[in-house]
Amino acid sequence: MGLLVAWLLHWGTALVGQRLSVTLASSRGCWLPVLKEPLLAGIDPIFPFSPQLTPSSFLRIGQLSNVDLNEDVRELETELPRQHPNEIPHNEKLLSLKYESLDYDNSENQLFLEEERRINHTAFRTVEIKRWVICAMIGILTGLVACFIDIVVENLAGLKYRVVKGNIDKFTEKGGLSFSLLLWATLNASVVMVGSMIVAFIEPVAAGSGIPQIKCYLNGVKIPHVVRLKTLVIKVCGVILSVVGGLAVGKEGPMIHSGAVIAAGISQGRSTSLKRDFKIFEYFRRDTEKRDFVSAGAAAGVSAAFGAPVGGVLFSLEEGASFWNQFLTWRIFFASMISTFTLNSVLSVYHGNAWDLSSPGLINFGRFDNEVWHRYSPCRALFGGVRSGILGALFNALNYWLTMFRIRYIHRPCLQVVEAMLVAAVTATVGFVMIYCSRDCQPIQGSSVAYPLQLFCADGEYNSMATAFFNTPEKSVVNLFHDPPGSYNPMTLGMFTLMYFFLACWTYGLTVSAGVFIPSLLIGAAWGRLFGISLSYLTKGSIWADPGKYALMGAAAQLGGIVRMTLSLTVIMMEATGNVTYGFPIMLVLMTAKIVGDYFVEGLYDMHIQLQSVPFLHWEAPVTSHSLTAREVMSTPVTCLRRIERVGTVVDVLSDTSSNHNGFPVVESNPDATQVGWVLLARGYIPNSLFPPKVFVERANLSLVQRRLKLKDFRDAYPRFPPIQSIHVSQDERECMIDLSEFMNPSPYTVPQEASLPRVFKLFRALGLRHLVVVDNRNEVVGMVTRKDLARYRLGKEGLEELSLAQT
């Protein structure tokens, strides 16, 4: 027999739960395909995948676990015309079946162990050096991407504001400012239209900041296309156009996603999108290694955004990574430092101050002195934290209902682009009207305003409302921090805070690349400065502190109230201001904002993860879940394979479209004198990503194996394994035999069926498993636990609740 060069595997299909359309011989929970007839007529699927879910559909929910075909098949399907319903039914208590799990536990099969045993101590040292080299490359490229975004945004936004400012100044004198409004709104809508179109029609996963998606990826959930090169290109172009288009967004949040994509690509030593393999870093082509580098990329993105390398490490630890170790900490910190240094060096040269190193991040909050800061009492910090927690909860609640509306009604790409254009036009209109109606005129002498608008102010004065609206959000934040007392009227700050709050809430969730960090900081800085001004009025002119310091506290509190970051945000704010003195009040307002906000609603990122029905596993199982056992949560029946199996059996199991499996226990059949039939003893476990190419032989003569596989054969195909549908197996080849011993994990993790849910959860979560085999007291396979089986259970308002499964 000649070699079959295709794979008998399918990387992205999921596990158990549907009846196989083959003749089955079952023993307890394990079903062995004997493959007499390819299909059984009249067998309905266990779980009907329809948008309208009936109560009867969930009667066997504890025994179900299915997902879509892999993304290669989905890509072929997307080429066909699809009809979109007017409304997509969606319920926040659904768990989506379209997401698969990554395998963060190395399969110690014979191929893996043989390769590891061949590597000597020197080779392992070389691998460790390569890890540091990759982290350095991640930092350099992330810093360069951040420089590119910053320089392009600065030039394009500056050009737009100069054009609009010249037009406003021209028509202020001779009348006809309505044309200026039309020009501003048209420019914003046009730029945002391009940015939204490339996201909606080319790569939808590039929408938003990308932080929830990266958080899911590091948790072990496979989000399609999330770390591809095309995603990076669309992300960078999209965020530039979003900021230039005047939306209430920032460019800092998407840097985290960009850094993660860079890390995922660099660590593999090739680009599957460009079909280029540089034949380097092949050892790291597996989920476990890739995950660690993605953690470093996310930290490097934070470091480039805020010039905070320590804050980047803590962000990756607090908000991103679900798995951590000491050696990883050092490598991530190294990548963050390189990222900050690269950005600082390039921008200093660009601004004509070579090696001045005064631009450590995309946004620089500037330095604050310690004058009269001791008068800022903890009571006012607590009050600011409470208010930020309430405002953050309100922001998240409003955005929750808005996102639900978008999921149901604005799911067509064309509608998503129209909505983004509408928001851009409304944002420009609101800004223009508020600037037009404001009579808050300030002397222009000594002001740091980049594009001062005079409008109806006297000569030598500018409209202070334009400081906040007629600028990029990053520069508006810095102005609120450092403008001298008296630069803003309380009415100006109050109106700006109110309007920008709702604009930012409306903007987050659009089909554009954008972040929520800077809008949150801007809202908080505005009401914080307003709070400081109000205190001076209430105390009849007494100076409690510089209003800019209240703006700093308000900015940190508002961001913490929305995204619920504590430790990492404290360090980020301290590094961005260059002053450790503010560590205690910042920590105080952040902790208070988080406690108050969590009482009402969860953080923005966790909320969007839940709205997308992602099977996300938190650190601990629900506290009231000890009454559930593995028997009640496992998926059953399980499709099992024998150690020596017919090729036709394997092909038909993988080709069965009614049963999308990706994990198969390998069992040993032994005659048992005490009972009739066979006892199925668990022997090993094999994921379908490790099904071999043709290493089978004619009939059962196993000595005729013609080719021995190496682990490199699988790494060369990682992560996009060809689907089984692309393989042609002749009738003669179907009768050949295949030995799965080399490819199965002979020591899979197993749990008894009486194990409690928290124990199963802890084992599954801590080890980063993809499947967990459940056995009885005779070591017989009775079920399988997957991520969806565990994620179905969560703590709701009325106690432990079980989510419904749906293909959403």
Side-chain angles (χ1 to χ4, degrees):
M1 297 292 296
L3 293 178
L4 181 64
V5 199
W7 301 98
L8 299 179
L9 57 95
H10 176 318
W11 171 252
T13 55
L15 185 56
V16 280
Q18 297 257 34
R19 295 181 184 174
L20 284 175
S21 298
V22 292
T23 304
L24 300 172
S26 80
S27 173
R28 291 181 179 261
C30 189
W31 290 6
L32 279 173
V34 296
L35 205 67
K36 295 298 183 182
E37 297 292 337
L39 292 175
L40 283 179
I43 294 182
D44 294 326
I46 291 178
F47 191 88
F49 291 121
S50 69
Q52 300 297 335
L53 302 173
T54 61
S56 62
S57 303
F58 305 112
L59 293 179
R60 300 186 59 186
I61 197 167
Q63 301 180 346
L64 303 175
S65 179
N66 275 314
V67 296
D68 288 334
L69 295 175
N70 70 347
E71 57 187 76
D72 298 291
V73 178
R74 284 197 300 267
E75 288 175 354
L76 296 176
E77 293 175 348
T78 54
E79 297 176 1
L80 301 176
R82 294 178 298 176
Q83 293 184 352
H84 297 274
N86 293 328
E87 175 183 353
I88 294 182
H90 185 84
N91 191 322
E92 65 274 15
K93 294 187 178 181
L94 292 179
L95 192 67
S96 177
L97 292 171
K98 69 181 181 180
Y99 295 106
E100 305 165 11
S101 290
L102 297 166
D103 198 351
Y104 288 157
D105 177 58
N106 291 325
S107 179
E108 293 189 347
N109 52 39
Q110 290 184 22
L111 298 179
F112 177 80
L113 293 177
E114 288 175 5
E115 181 186 79
E116 293 294 306
R117 289 165 184 162
R118 287 196 301 266
I119 302 178
N120 55 27
H121 179 70
T122 304
F124 275 115
R125 293 289 298 271
T126 304
V127 168
E128 188 63 23
I129 293 174
K130 288 181 179 178
R131 287 194 176 98
W132 288 91
V133 171
I134 292 173
C135 288
M137 296 173 66
I138 291 170
I140 292 172
L141 289 179
T142 303
L144 292 177
V145 169
C147 291
F148 175 78
I149 293 175
D150 188 63
I151 293 173
V152 175
V153 167
E154 180 181 348
N155 285 277
L156 291 182
L159 175 62
K160 185 193 78 171
Y161 287 126
R162 285 193 295 270
V163 170
V164 176
K165 180 182 182 302
N167 189 273
I168 291 177
D169 291 341
K170 172 184 175 181
F171 284 100
T172 301
E173 300 176 358
K174 61 180 184 180
L177 280 172
S178 57
F179 181 80
S180 300
L181 168 60
L182 182 62
L183 174 64
W184 191 1
T186 302
L187 285 176
N188 279 13
S190 301
V191 173
V192 170
M193 179 188 69
V194 178
S196 181
M197 287 179 65
I198 62 175
V199 172
F201 290 99
I202 299 179
E203 197 54 85
V205 77
S209 65
I211 296 176
Q213 289 87 342
I214 295 302
K215 190 173 180 178
C216 291
Y217 181 90
L218 295 176
N219 187 258
V221 182
K222 184 179 181 181
I223 308 294
H225 304 183
V226 71
V227 288
R228 288 192 181 179
L229 177 62
K230 183 170 68 172
T231 303
L232 175 64
V233 174
I234 299 301
K235 196 82 178 183
V236 171
C237 297
V239 72
I240 291 173
L241 295 171
S242 298
V243 176
V244 173
L247 293 175
V249 299
K251 57 181 183 287
E252 284 69 21
M255 277 307 306
I256 298 168
H257 190 182
S258 300
V261 179
I262 291 170
I266 292 297
S267 63
Q268 304 303 290
R270 68 177 178 185
S271 171
T272 52
S273 299
L274 299 178
K275 295 180 173 56
R276 292 291 303 275
D277 191 342
F278 300 99
K279 305 297 182 182
I280 57 175
F281 307 142
E282 295 177 342
Y283 183 82
F284 306 117
R285 293 177 185 177
R286 49 184 166 175
D287 290 341
T288 310
E289 297 286 351
K290 194 173 182 180
R291 172 200 68 198
D292 292 343
F293 291 117
V294 169
S295 299
V302 175
S303 181
F306 296 98
V310 178
V313 175
L314 293 177
F315 174 86
S316 188
L317 172 61
E318 180 182 11
E319 285 292 317
S322 296
F323 306 90
W324 203 263
N325 60 66
Q326 182 179 6
F327 297 107
L328 182 62
T329 305
W330 282 108
R331 292 199 298 270
I332 288 180
F333 180 65
F334 178 67
S336 298
M337 288 294 297
I338 295 294
S339 176
T340 298
F341 179 76
T342 302
L343 176 73
N344 215 340
S345 302
V346 175
L347 288 185
S348 65
V349 174
Y350 173 75
H351 293 303
N353 302 314
W355 304 111
D356 179 51
L357 302 182
S358 58
S359 302
L362 294 181
I363 181 172
N364 187 3
F365 293 154
R367 293 190 173 272
F368 289 79
D369 55 41
N370 299 326
E371 184 181 1
V372 305
W373 185 250
H374 60 279
R375 297 185 182 182
Y376 189 91
S377 68
C379 293
R380 290 191 292 278
L382 290 174
F383 175 76
V386 170
R387 182 167 54 179
S388 294
I390 295 174
L391 289 176
L394 176 62
F395 184 99
N396 293 354
L398 292 175
N399 190 261
Y400 173 86
W401 294 110
L402 182 59
T403 304
M404 288 286 290
F405 178 83
R406 284 173 173 149
I407 291 174
R408 289 175 175 172
Y409 300 105
I410 313 179
H411 47 269
R412 297 172 183 266
C414 55
L415 294 178
Q416 294 168 346
V417 173
V418 170
E419 186 197 14
M421 295 174 62
L422 175 64
V423 175
V426 170
T427 302
T429 302
V430 170
F432 183 88
V433 171
M434 293 188 67
I435 293 172
Y436 181 84
C437 297
S438 174
R439 293 297 181 266
D440 185 9
C441 299
Q442 302 292 335
I444 198 171
Q445 186 175 4
S447 173
S448 59
V449 181
Y451 308 103
L453 290 179
Q454 182 179 359
L455 278 179
F456 305 111
C457 295
D459 293 339
E461 293 183 341
Y462 71 96
N463 190 307
S464 66
M465 181 67 80
T467 307
F469 267 113
F470 201 70
N471 220 330
T472 59
E474 290 85 358
K475 293 182 179 179
S476 298
V477 170
V478 176
N479 289 336
L480 288 170
F481 283 169
H482 295 288
D483 281 352
S487 299
Y488 298 91
N489 185 286
M491 182 61 68
T492 299
L493 290 175
M495 291 300 299
F496 171 78
T497 304
L498 181 65
M499 298 306 300
Y500 205 82
F501 179 90
F502 289 105
L503 287 174
C505 184
W506 189 12
T507 302
Y508 188 79
L510 291 176
T511 310
V512 294
S513 298
V516 75
F517 276 22
I518 296 302
S520 302
L521 291 175
L522 183 53
I523 294 168
W527 73 247
R529 191 174 183 103
L530 176 62
F531 179 66
I533 295 174
S534 301
L535 277 182
S536 65
Y537 278 117
L538 293 175
T539 55
K540 299 180 180 180
S542 298
I543 300 177
W544 292 83
D546 182 356
K549 296 182 175 64
Y550 286 99
L552 176 65
M553 293 299 104
Q558 187 63 48
L559 180 56
I562 292 176
V563 300
R564 310 293 158 76
M565 294 164 52
T566 52
L567 178 62
S568 57
L569 185 54
T570 301
V571 177
I572 287 172
M573 297 299 289
M574 287 193 299
E575 289 186 282
T577 56
N579 196 325
V580 75
T581 308
Y582 305 121
F584 177 72
I586 291 175
M587 179 190 68
L588 197 59
V589 296
L590 287 176
M591 288 298 297
T592 307
K594 176 176 174 56
I595 293 172
V596 174
D598 285 342
Y599 179 79
F600 296 101
V601 68
E602 58 189 344
L604 188 64
Y605 298 144
D606 293 329
M607 184 188 74
H608 276 264
I609 290 174
Q610 176 184 326
L611 282 172
Q612 295 301 318
S613 304
V614 179
F616 186 89
L617 297 182
H618 295 279
W619 290 103
E620 298 289 343
V623 292
T624 59
S625 60
H626 282 82
S627 60
L628 295 174
T629 63
R631 183 193 296 110
E632 298 171 272
V633 303
M634 69 185 182
S635 297
T636 185
V638 183
T639 302
C640 298
L641 296 172
R642 299 181 181 90
R643 182 178 65 85
I644 299 175
E645 191 62 86
R646 289 176 58 242
V647 171
T649 300
V650 176
V651 171
D652 283 334
V653 165
L654 294 178
S655 301
D656 185 10
T657 57
S658 66
S659 175
N660 303 319
H661 295 252
N662 72 358
F664 306 89
V666 179
V667 298
E668 185 90 13
S669 299
N670 293 324
D672 190 291
T674 62
Q675 71 177 59
V676 179
W678 300 84
V679 176
L680 302 178
L681 303 177
R683 180 180 179 88
Y685 164 77
I686 177 168
N688 64 359
S689 59
L690 287 180
F691 270 115
K694 182 186 173 186
V695 288
F696 49 81
V697 297
E698 294 182 4
R699 302 297 182 265
N701 187 0
L702 299 180
S703 62
L704 299 179
V705 175
Q706 299 188 20
R707 176 175 179 249
R708 197 174 190 289
L709 283 177
K710 296 181 180 179
L711 205 58
K712 182 179 182 300
D713 296 319
F714 298 101
R715 286 174 175 163
D716 287 342
Y718 176 84
R720 301 186 198 175
F721 298 99
I724 192 66
Q725 287 82 358
S726 64
I727 297 175
H728 173 70
V729 180
S730 67
Q731 188 61 39
D732 291 338
E733 290 172 332
R734 290 176 60 88
E735 299 301 322
C736 294
M737 306 301 292
I738 182 171
D739 188 352
L740 301 176
S741 300
E742 282 189 308
F743 317 106
M744 72 181 188
N745 182 2
S747 54
Y749 293 103
T750 62
V751 292
Q753 56 185 345
E754 293 81 15
S756 66
L757 175 60
R759 189 170 185 83
V760 173
F761 188 99
K762 185 178 297 183
L763 180 63
F764 194 98
R765 175 69 170 75
L767 298 175
L769 303 181
R770 190 175 184 181
H771 312 96
L772 184 60
V773 180
V774 182
V775 297
D776 61 9
N777 54 3
R778 293 188 296 178
N779 201 34
E780 297 177 20
V781 177
V782 295
M784 188 90 79
V785 175
T786 66
R787 170 178 293 272
K788 299 177 185 67
D789 298 322
L790 298 176
R792 284 206 318 269
Y793 299 92
R794 74 177 184 194
L795 191 63
K797 295 181 179 179
E798 299 178 357
L800 189 66
E801 60 185 15
E802 184 178 1
L803 304 184
S804 304
L805 300 177
Q807 189 154 347
T808 57

